[in-house]
């Protein structure tokens, strides 16, 4: 492949004159010297001596005597490219040759690691037997040869051969022994570094010397790095072990040689699953405890009784080395304080909260630097997830939990409680720790790790207060100001998402109002002990800070206290909505619109169903329910704002409304189009059902629709039993008959959408049809020849009695009320259905006498699970209501609230009647209230808005509220509202539609802005430059992205 | 892409021969090979030649004797004893010796390792990798038995080479199914080849028995497959659902495991076509017979349209053994890749049992976006690897003493043990083992890894993969195959092979270590691939692992050594069969 580059250049030269001749415009042809890049390692190098240095010494902005170079593996050409990060250009190793030349290695390069002091870089080379090993590249030779030196080629560097293909590598430091001696090998009888001569690899006769024994010193001889012998730790996945090789030994080998590596220690990796069955720690999310709920998980592959380890990515952290495993559900933890005798500790235990039966394996891992509080986290890529996701482990010293962290608020975020998922596979992860310290005016010292202090009573010049957001947003806490510890999750799409781990400014990212209680309020705030009521400065001299909501805020005044959450994606925007900031908090684009399937007749507002906002749930029993409020555009509509009034009384409201919860910003998609449809479809149209009906079948005589591909439960289909349970939850009388009535009233319905076979079809003369005794005309008369979506033939509707994942037991819906007649009608219709629709049946399932909520972005949240159940001698998956606490807010079904007045008052819109616009309760309805509270002559209730239990003002008397209605309030993770029945019955197809904006947008940087064809391979953080390094395996080579701009800016990428 | 691009337009200008005109294709010659297949007993290699430059009026399918191929492929050795072998049982051939230089056995009377096959010079080696010159498949230079035997008139033995239409694109081979849940199988052809042919937009099917090909060629004037063996062009006889004939430009294909359903991609129309063997239920005298007409061959049944443009690769999804005990035959599934969309579709075949007549059809069931790289478009080959699932299922089969055939058809006589609930309980988690899926993707050039997360119940399964990672490849990945090599311990070990047409490479990926192990340097246009691996022989020296590579542009078959015990020969082209001939356009 290396030969191709000069040709490409040549081609460019040949065509250039032609282009000039034919076009007046100059066409710039970009040539790429880097292709199929793999990984990068950074090395600090003296520009004068060429010697490698500790990275902390780079870059040298003042004198330019030290530069940071990126060594990028080229996997298809078996080379390592060198990139000068200061000049942002590829270093041409052989300028006399056309095109760019790189450092050649003997086989395909894999992992790459540089010794801590920068003396040499080690490349794992991967080939078939005999060609696998490690190559050492002394830093002195990562540039072009000087005069008199030989051309750099594969013989320039020493390599050694490994028994199998190497995986990841890293360089460890074996500290001096107790007597201060540093032995040259792990053999305790070996010589001591300081006793011997200069290492062979550092002798003057070498063109490329490298002395790792002195790399802890700077050029003046000062100790700047860790003292000790450098050891390579190399994973051998096929041999299930990690081997230790002396780094200087390899450097000392004859350039161009490829003898067997001298392995000084072997660490056969164990897979110790002790304690793995204990499950995950729910201390941070007790609400997820399933308690009595037995959750049915899908069948999982057979788990082996034991595992062979297959080491994946490395993550060194202090004296520990974390090692992912491609084969076993562990992350190995090795104590490498003595690399000559690594000690494997109990592993981390990757597992899935969502599906504990799933075997979780990890590829890349990263260990964070220590936070100011001394905490450390390990992130690992779960390569078996779909798509691959991130797990976070708390590995702080003293922590006993070895399982992925389960985060609070997980019921509200559409993501597994223990995973960071981005919709696309995560390829790699790294950590970035950065601070922008402010100077303490008292001490003159700039202290790192100072947290933003929102308390308005604090000294405004204290370091913490200096991190408060300024009104012009030029300084202080902001989404795009990264101060703290963050994870960088690189997606295969070329995006790198920022994950909050420990944002130093998090205390200042919140609303101004505080909540002193331990109960979470509607903004997600709680436990604000020690803070005043408001996080605002005094409006005037003499006023106590923190007493008024109108003072200058000391915080960002976002809509939620969860704007920043540890181990969750970082928001790209402030979670606030106003004309200045735009819509960063969930907002309606406009109030919802009501529509009917047919507008032929007028339907006055009182007769229409009403979608209306309701108060937020109080933080705790006895607390005041926060009044409804919602942003429409950038205007906050409330129940008291006369210029932007939110009308929630169904008797007078003319504009549909709802609220968008503030508590969890990540619950809401950035933009969504939502519909709430009466008797709407809960499934897509299925293309291939089969009607099975044989009343003479002694085993299964009942009619059913079978469809092996349907997955009805997953789609959210309910059957009568489930509706009975739901009715109970909604407050339907605890009586079998009442439950049955509720279930029958609201049962899901199969609607057949197939057309009949054409009249000329062979079928109508087939033995099957003749046996049925039907013909085209009869079928057409009964079911209609074609499906009419506007006016469904009632014979095409089947009530769902029992639902399974692959079959629905049904009966015709359109039958007489008389039980005896109905039985015969059902039988006749069932037989006809089977005979009239012999082919793959097209159909869908819709709900009945209820509304169904669907969002284009948020989807239809199903609260249906499956349970294994015997059926006719087989085991089938029965649809059941999901008791999993994670699904608490997942229901797409909304039931109308009706009016039920027991006092004899007649309400209505006729003259003389009370102005009631809520339709009357009917048998089978679940929710009702009295919107009139009629006295003997007229309605007494001035505001028919639903009332929640609790006081109307702090400390006031508690009211009972409309208890029989509030169970029908829809309280999902993206919306909260109630639907009141209109004075006319709702019609199928009626719908409310609305659009939202201001949902959560994660903070990203992306290579996709440069090219759509990217193949990111590695992400790393370069603290010396405060930049994110991204290696692209397609054509973009190496890119360094500033942590400030998070944009790919010229001259990057370098390719 | 460059070599192919240069050739294509020139050929297209030539146009097509009307039927009956033009030169008959030479039956013995390798000519733009596009497909290779090895029979179940590994006795024959079937070579599909496409006549891509339309020099002739059709292509051919040839049946090569693999024993004769293996007899001429260099035999690795360390020393002379490695070269001693039985020529007949109990009689050792003393004539071979180990060439220390070449590391393979040579005849003692040969002056140098290649001898009769001629040592290639460096120029030749650059074009046709390998040390020695070509081996003639019809008249081997060593005078021994031919790989493709000629009859008395210097023509290929009838039945060892038959004529097909021009522009064949691929081939798959399937054995006659023995047990099919609830069905008897009529016809006795033990194996069958399926070949899509672009020239007449048909699916050719050829029966194979002991290396002899039969496609009705004796009944045609020109010795080509007859109309009955060219499915897809008789809508009135075949397609009874959505009328019409097979869409133009059939390209990729795969057949389900029992060969009863065949899916063919039509690369210019966004269509995937279904061919299926007819099923007939007849009642005579109160006795109902359910039969699959294997003897009638596949009929064109259905065209799945409305998909993204340019479907290319197709791979069948293996049947999970946990399914059949429900009494229902499991629906065949196919995964489809596209050039113009970063997506893989899962098509499911429905038997349409309730219809009269029964008319199988496909339905797009699920799809998955390819998001392991930023664009994900231009997907070519796809391969499904069930080795882990089969291993888990085999444990259940072994523990309960059930054969795979019985597990697939528990109602078959003698298969009662397959209905044991404990056996089924063992199979459910075993069948839930993920399948590995591999895609050759060109934007950017890469091998994409996917994994299914099956849902298994008595009647429901889904094997749509999610794509989780990948590795960059050389330019022009086209087809991808799974297969075994022999490792240093003499055991089989899984590998993934990706043919990179443009860069003349075949990447060998080790899924266990997750590294690209090495690349086979091939001649120009590696397009067809088949494997021939045997382990567990009485004499370990008789174990072998070869890959056969059809070189599209120079029209020959290369042989690659895939035995890691052979040191530097591993992954190297060690023999060339058929005289390489550059395409006319390049002369």
């Amino acid at each position: 492949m290396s030969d191709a580059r000069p040709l490409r250049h040549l081609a460019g030269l040949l065509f250039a004159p032609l282009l000039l001749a034919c076009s007046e415009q100059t066409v710039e042809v970009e040539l790429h010297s880097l292709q199929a890049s793999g990984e990068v390692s950074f090395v600090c190098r003296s520009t004068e001596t060429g010697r490698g240095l500790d990275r902390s010494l780079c870059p040298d902005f003042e004198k330019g005597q030290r530069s940071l170079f990126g060594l990028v593996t080229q996997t298809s050409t078996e080379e390592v490219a060198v990139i000068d990060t200061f000049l942002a250009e590829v270093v041409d190793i052989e300028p006399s040759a056309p095109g760019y030349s790189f450092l050649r290695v003997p086989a395909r390069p894999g992992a790459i690691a540089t010794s801590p002091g920068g003396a040499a870089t080690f490349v794992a080379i991967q080939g078939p037997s005999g060609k696998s090993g490690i190559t050492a590249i002394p830093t002195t030779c990562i540039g072009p040869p000087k005069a008199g030196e030989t051309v750099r080629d594969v013989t320039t560097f020493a390599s050694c051969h490994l028994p199998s293909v190497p995986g990841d590598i890293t360089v460890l430091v074996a500290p001096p022994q107790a007597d201060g001696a540093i032995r040259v090998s792990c053999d305790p009888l070996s010589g001591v570094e300081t006793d011997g001569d200069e290492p062979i690899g550092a002798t003057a006769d070498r063109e490329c010397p490298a002395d790792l024994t002195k790399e802890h010193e700077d050029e003046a001889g000062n100790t700047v790095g860790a003292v000790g012998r450098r050891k390579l730790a190399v994973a051998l996945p096929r041999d299930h072990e990690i081997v230790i090789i002396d780094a200087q030994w390899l450097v000392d080998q004859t350039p161009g040689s490829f003898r067997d590596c001298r392995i000084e220690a072997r660490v056969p990796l164990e897979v110790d699953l002790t304690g793995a069955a204990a499950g995950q720690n729910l201390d941070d999310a007790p609400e997820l405890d399933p308690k009595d709920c037995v959750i049915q998980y899908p069948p999982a592959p057979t788990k082996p009784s034991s595992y062979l380890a297959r080491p994946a990515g490395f993550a060194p952290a202090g004296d520990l080395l974390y090692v992912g495993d491609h084969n076993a559900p562990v992350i190995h933890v090795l104590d490498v304080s003595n690399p000559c005798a690594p000690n494997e500790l109990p592993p981390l235990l990757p597992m899935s909260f969502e599906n504990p039966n799933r075997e979780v394996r990890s590829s890349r891992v990263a260990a964070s630097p220590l936070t100011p509080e001394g905490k450390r986290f390990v992130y690992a890529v779960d390569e078996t997830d779909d798509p691959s996701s991130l797990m976070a482990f708390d590995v702080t010293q003293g922590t006993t939990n070895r399982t992925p962290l389960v985060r609070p608020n997980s019921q509200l975020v559409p993501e597994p409680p223990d995973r960071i998922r981005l919709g696309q596979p995560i390829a790699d992860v790294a950590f970035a720790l950065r601070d922008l310290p402010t100077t303490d005016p008292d001490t003159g010292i700039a202290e790192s790790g100072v947290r933003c202090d929102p308390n308005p009573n604090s000294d405004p010049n204290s370091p913490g207060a200096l991190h408060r957001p300024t009104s012009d947003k030029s300084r202080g806490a902001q989404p795009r100001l990264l101060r703290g510890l963050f994870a960088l999750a690189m997606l295969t799409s070329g995006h790198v998402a920022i994950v909050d781990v420990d944002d130093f400014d998090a205390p200042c990212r919140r609303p101004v109002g505080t909540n002193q209680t331990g109960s979470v309020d509607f903004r997600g705030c709680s436990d604000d002990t020690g803070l005043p009521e408001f996080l605002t400065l005094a409006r005037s001299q003499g006023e106590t800070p923190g007493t008024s909501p109108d003072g200058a805020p000391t915080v960002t005044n976002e809509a939620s206290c969860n704007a920043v959450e540890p181990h969750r994606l970082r928001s790209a925007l402030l979670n606030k909505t106003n004309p200045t900031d735009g819509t960063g908090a969930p907002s309606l684009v406009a109030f919802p619109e009501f529509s009917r399937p047919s507008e032929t007749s007028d339907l006055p507002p009182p007769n229409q169903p009403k979608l209306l906002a309701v108060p937020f749930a109080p933080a705790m029993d006895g607390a005041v329910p926060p009044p409804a409020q919602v942003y429409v555009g950038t205007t906050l509509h409330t129940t008291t704002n006369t210029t932007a009034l939110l009308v929630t009384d169904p008797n007078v409201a003319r504009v549909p409304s709802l609220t968008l919860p503030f508590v969890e910003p990540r619950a809401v998609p950035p933009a969504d189009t939502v519909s709430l449809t009466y008797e709407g479809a809960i499934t897509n149209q299925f293309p291939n059902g089969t009607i099975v009906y044989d009343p003479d079948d002694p085993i299964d005589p009942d009619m059913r629709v079978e469809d092996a591909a349907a997955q009805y439960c997953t789609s959210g289909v309910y059957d009568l039993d489930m509706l009975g349970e739901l009715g109970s939850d909604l407050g339907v009388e605890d009586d079998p008959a009442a439950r049955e009535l509720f279930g029958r009233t609201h049962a899901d319905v199969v609607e057949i959408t197939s057309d009949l076979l054409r009249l000329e079809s062979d079928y109508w003369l087939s033995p099957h049809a003749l046996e049925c005794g039907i013909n085209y005309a009869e079928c057409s008369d009964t079911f209609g020849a074609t499906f009419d979506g506007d006016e469904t033939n009632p014979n095409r509707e089947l009530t769902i009695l029992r639902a399974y994942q692959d079959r629905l037991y049904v009966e015709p819906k359109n039958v007489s009320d008389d039980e005896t007649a109905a039985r015969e009608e059902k039988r006749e219709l069932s037989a006809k259905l089977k005979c009239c629709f012999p082919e793959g049946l097209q159909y869908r399932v819709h709900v009945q006498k209820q509304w169904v909520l669907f969002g284009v972005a948020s989807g239809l949240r199903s609260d249906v699970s499956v349970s294994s159940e015997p059926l006719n001698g087989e085991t089938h998956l029965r649809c059941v209501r999901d008791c999993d606490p994670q699904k608490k807010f997942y229901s797409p079904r909304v039931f109308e609230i009706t009016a039920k007045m027991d006092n004899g008052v007649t309400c209505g819109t006729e003259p003389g009647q009370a102005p009631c616009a809520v339709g009357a309760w009917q048998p089978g309805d679940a929710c009702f209230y009295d919107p009139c509270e009629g006295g003997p002559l007229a309605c007494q209730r001035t505001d028919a808005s639903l009332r929640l239990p609790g006081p109307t003002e702090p400390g006031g008397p508690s009211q009972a509220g409309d208890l029989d209605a509030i169970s029908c309030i829809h309280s999902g993770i993206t919306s909260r509202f109630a639907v009141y029945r209109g004075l006319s019955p709702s019609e199928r197809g009626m719908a409310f539609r609305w659009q939202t904006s201001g949902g959560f947008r994660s903070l990203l940087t992306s290579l996709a802005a440069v090219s759509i064809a990217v193949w990111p391979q590695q992400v790393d953080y370069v603290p010396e430059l405060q930049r994110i390094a991204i290696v692209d395996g397609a054509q973009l080579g190496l890119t360094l992205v500033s942590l400030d701009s998070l944009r790919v800016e010229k001259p990057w990428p370098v390719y | 892409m460059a070599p192919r691009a240069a050739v294509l337009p020139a050929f297209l200008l030539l146009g097509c021969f009307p039927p009956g005109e033009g030169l008959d294709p030479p039956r013995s010659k390798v000519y733009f090979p596009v497909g290779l297949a090895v029979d179940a007993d590994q006795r024959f290699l079937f070579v599909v030649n496409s006549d891509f430059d339309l020099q002739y009026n059709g292509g051919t399918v040839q049946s090569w004797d693999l024993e004769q191929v293996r007899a001429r492929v260099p035999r690795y050795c360390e020393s002379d004893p490695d070269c001693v072998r039985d020529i007949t049982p109990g009689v050792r051939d003393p004539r071979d010796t180990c060439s220390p230089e070449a590391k393979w056995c040579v005849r003692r009377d040969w002056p140098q390792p290649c001898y009769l096959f001629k040592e290639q010079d460096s120029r030749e080696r650059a074009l046709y990798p390998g040390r020695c010159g070509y081996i003639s498949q019809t008249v081997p230079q060593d005078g021994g038995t031919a790989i493709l035997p000629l009859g008395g008139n210097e023509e290929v033995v009838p039945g060892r080479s038959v004529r097909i239409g021009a522009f064949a694109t691929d081939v798959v081979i399937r054995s006659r199914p023995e047990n099919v849940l609830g069905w008897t199988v009529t016809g006795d052809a033990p194996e069958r080849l399926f070949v899509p042919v672009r020239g007449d937009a048909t699916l050719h099917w050829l029966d194979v028995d002991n290396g002899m090909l039969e496609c009705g060629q004796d009944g045609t004037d020109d010795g080509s497959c007859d109309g009955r063996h060219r499915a897809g062009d008789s809508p009135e006889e075949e397609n009874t659902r959505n009328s019409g004939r097979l869409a133009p430009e059939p390209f990729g294909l795969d057949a389900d495991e029992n060969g009863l359903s065949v899916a063919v991609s039509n690369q210019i129309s966004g269509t995937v076509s279904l061919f299926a063997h007819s099923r007939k239920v007849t009642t005579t005298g109160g006795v109902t017979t359910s039969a699959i007409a294997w003897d009638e061959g596949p009929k064109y049944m259905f065209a799945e349209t409305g998909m993204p443009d340019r479907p290319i690769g197709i791979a069948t999804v293996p049947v999970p053994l946990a399914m059949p005990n429900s009494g229902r035959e499991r629906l065949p599934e196919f995964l489809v890749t596209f050039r113009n969309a970063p997506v893989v579709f899962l098509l499911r075949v429905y038997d349409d049992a309730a219809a009269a007549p029964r008319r199988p059809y496909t339905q797009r069931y699920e799809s998955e976006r390819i998001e392991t790289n930023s664009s994900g478009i231009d997907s070519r080959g796809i391969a499904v690897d069930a080795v882990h699932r089969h291993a888990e299922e085999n444990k259940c089969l072994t523990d309960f003493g059930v054969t795979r055939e019985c597990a697939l058809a528990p109602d078959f006589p003698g298969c009662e043990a397959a209905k044991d609930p404990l056996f089924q309980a063992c199979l459910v988690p075993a069948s839930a083992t993920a399948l590995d899926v591999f895609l050759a993707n060109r934007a950017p050039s890469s091998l994409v890894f996917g994994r299914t997360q099956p849902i298994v119940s008595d009647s429901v399964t889904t094997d749509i993969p999610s794509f989780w990672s990948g590795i960059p490849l050389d330019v022009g990945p086209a087809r991808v195959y799974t297969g075994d090599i022999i490792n240093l311990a003499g055991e089989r070990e899984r590998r993934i092979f990706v043919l990179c047409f443009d860069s003349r490479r075949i990447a060998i990926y080790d899924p266990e270590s997750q590294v690209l192990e090495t690349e086979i340097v091939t001649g120009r246009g590696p397009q067809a691939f088949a494997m021939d691996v045997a382990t567990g022989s009485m004499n370990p020296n008789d174990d072998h692992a070869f890959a056969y590579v059809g070189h599209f542009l120079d029209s020959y078959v290369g042989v690659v050594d895939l035995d890691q015990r052979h040191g530097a020969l591993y992954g190297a082209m060690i023999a060339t069969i058929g005289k390489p001939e550059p395409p006319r356009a390049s002369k």
Side-chain angles (χ1 to χ4, degrees), chain A residues 80 266 367 829:
Chain A
V80 174
R266 292 179 182 275
L829 263 177

Side-chain angles (χ1 to χ4, degrees), chain A residues 403-461:
Chain A
T403 59
L405 291 172
V406 179
R407 300 160 298 180
N409 280 348
S410 291
Q411 287 177 314
L412 301 173
V413 184
E415 143 178 288
D418 58 346
R419 289 294 187 280
I420 298 162
R421 233 186 227 171
L422 286 121
Q424 288 178 314
I426 296 175
D428 196 12
V429 61
F431 284 98
L433 175 64
R434 177 174 85 154
D435 198 2
L436 302 166
T438 52
T439 304
D440 187 325
D442 295 336
T443 64
I445 297 172
E447 188 182 348
S448 284
V450 172
R451 295 183 184 279
C452 183
D453 181 0
N455 193 334
N457 295 309
S458 300
D459 177 359
N461 292 316

Side-chain angles (χ1 to χ4, degrees), chain A residues 210-415:
Chain A
D211 186 353
L212 284 84
T213 67
K214 291 195 172 67
E215 71 164 15
H216 58 277
E217 297 174 353
D218 65 11
E219 290 179 293
N222 303 311
T223 298
V224 291
V227 179
R229 189 77 181 181
R230 272 49 178 163
K231 301 289 180 185
L232 291 172
V234 184
L236 298 182
R238 279 207 159 272
D239 296 337
H240 324 291
E241 65 178 1
I242 291 172
V243 296
I244 304 295
I245 298 165
D246 187 80
Q248 185 67 52
W249 173 86
L250 176 53
V251 171
D252 287 350
Q253 301 306 298
T254 307
S257 65
F258 198 26
R259 58 182 293 193
D260 286 349
C261 295
R262 191 180 78 185
I263 294 173
E264 297 189 320
R266 292 179 182 275
V267 192
L269 293 174
E270 304 289 334
V271 180
D272 178 8
L273 293 175
T274 308
Q280 290 174 252
N281 187 319
L282 293 181
D283 286 354
D284 291 333
E287 67 278 7
L288 294 180
D289 185 349
K291 298 188 177 73
D292 299 329
C293 173
V294 178
I295 300 170
Q296 294 278 340
Y297 299 106
T302 312
K303 288 189 177 175
S305 53
S306 62
Y307 295 86
L308 286 173
R310 183 140 51 92
F314 284 177
D319 288 341
L320 300 179
L321 177 65
Y322 296 89
V323 183
D325 196 307
H326 285 305
N327 194 51
V330 296
I331 293 172
H332 305 275
V333 184
L334 301 181
D335 178 349
V336 289
S337 52
N338 177 7
C340 289
N343 176 31
E344 185 162 9
L345 304 175
L348 302 178
L349 300 169
M351 56 179 67
S352 165
F353 189 87
E354 200 177 38
N355 180 3
N357 292 333
R358 184 164 70 81
E359 200 166 77
V360 177
R361 300 187 289 269
S362 51
S363 51
R364 307 280 182 97
V365 290
S368 76
L370 290 172
T371 68
E373 287 77 24
K375 294 177 88 65
R376 193 192 298 280
F377 301 95
V378 163
Y379 276 27
V381 176
D382 173 359
E383 66 174 15
T384 46
D385 200 3
D386 178 21
S388 55
S389 56
L390 276 182
M391 303 172 277
F393 296 86
D394 184 347
V395 295
T396 305
Q397 197 166 19
T399 303
T400 56
N401 178 22
R402 293 189 283 143
T403 59
L405 291 172
V406 179
R407 300 160 298 180
N409 280 348
S410 291
Q411 287 177 314
L412 301 173
V413 184
E415 143 178 288

Side-chain angles (χ1 to χ4, degrees), chain B residues 381-561:
Chain B
I382 179 169
V384 178
D385 189 3
V387 68
H388 293 116
R389 178 183 292 178
H390 285 164
E392 293 301 322
E393 290 175 340
N394 287 343
K395 285 182 198 166
C396 299
L397 296 174
T398 304
D399 290 350
F400 289 84
V402 178
T403 64
R404 179 167 284 269
E405 288 71 28
C406 278
L408 285 168
D411 63 343
F412 209 73
C415 292
E416 289 72 24
K419 295 191 171 182
D420 182 347
L422 292 176
F423 171 64
Q424 291 298 323
C426 177
L427 280 183
V428 169
S431 290
T433 304
L435 301 171
D436 289 313
V437 179
F438 301 93
L439 290 184
N441 192 284
R442 286 195 171 196
S445 295
S446 50
L447 174 63
V448 174
F449 310 143
R451 188 185 297 116
T452 69
Q453 295 192 332
I455 301 167
V456 178
S457 74
D458 277 359
S459 57
V460 180
T461 183
T462 177
D463 266 318
I464 187 77
S466 59
F467 296 98
W468 56 277
S469 189
I471 52 167
L473 289 178
D474 277 328
V475 179
R479 290 180 170 176
V480 56
Y481 297 85
T482 63
D484 293 344
I485 56 111
I486 296 178
N487 67 14
L488 293 171
E491 299 160 341
R492 286 171 177 257
E493 212 170 87
R494 206 62 168 167
R495 292 293 185 274
I496 312 303
F497 302 87
V498 191
L499 277 62
C500 297
F501 187 97
D502 305 38
S503 54
R504 301 176 47 186
R505 296 284 190 279
I506 298 176
I508 303 181
Y509 174 74
D510 176 357
E512 190 75 13
S513 301
Q514 299 192 355
V515 298
L516 188 62
E517 185 180 66
T518 190
E519 289 179 317
I520 302 167
V521 177
T522 73
R524 297 190 293 181
Q527 173 76 0
F529 189 84
M531 296 197 68
D532 173 20
V533 183
T535 52
S537 309
M538 294 289 285
N539 179 358
N541 285 343
D542 290 339
D543 289 353
H544 63 265
F546 297 130
Y548 305 112
V549 181
H551 289 79
F552 181 81
L553 291 179
D554 289 322
S555 298
Y556 68 95
V557 174
V559 184
V560 180
D561 190 340

Side-chain angles (χ1 to χ4, degrees), chain A residues 956-992:
Chain A
S958 185
Q959 299 186 13
D962 298 311
L963 284 180
D964 292 325
I966 58 178
S967 60
C968 286
I969 290 175
H970 172 80
S971 189
I973 63 174
T974 56
S975 57
R976 181 177 166 87
F977 57 82
V979 178
Y980 302 83
R981 179 172 294 165
L983 296 181
S984 297
S986 298
E987 303 160 12
R988 181 179 302 175
M990 282 181 165
F992 295 96

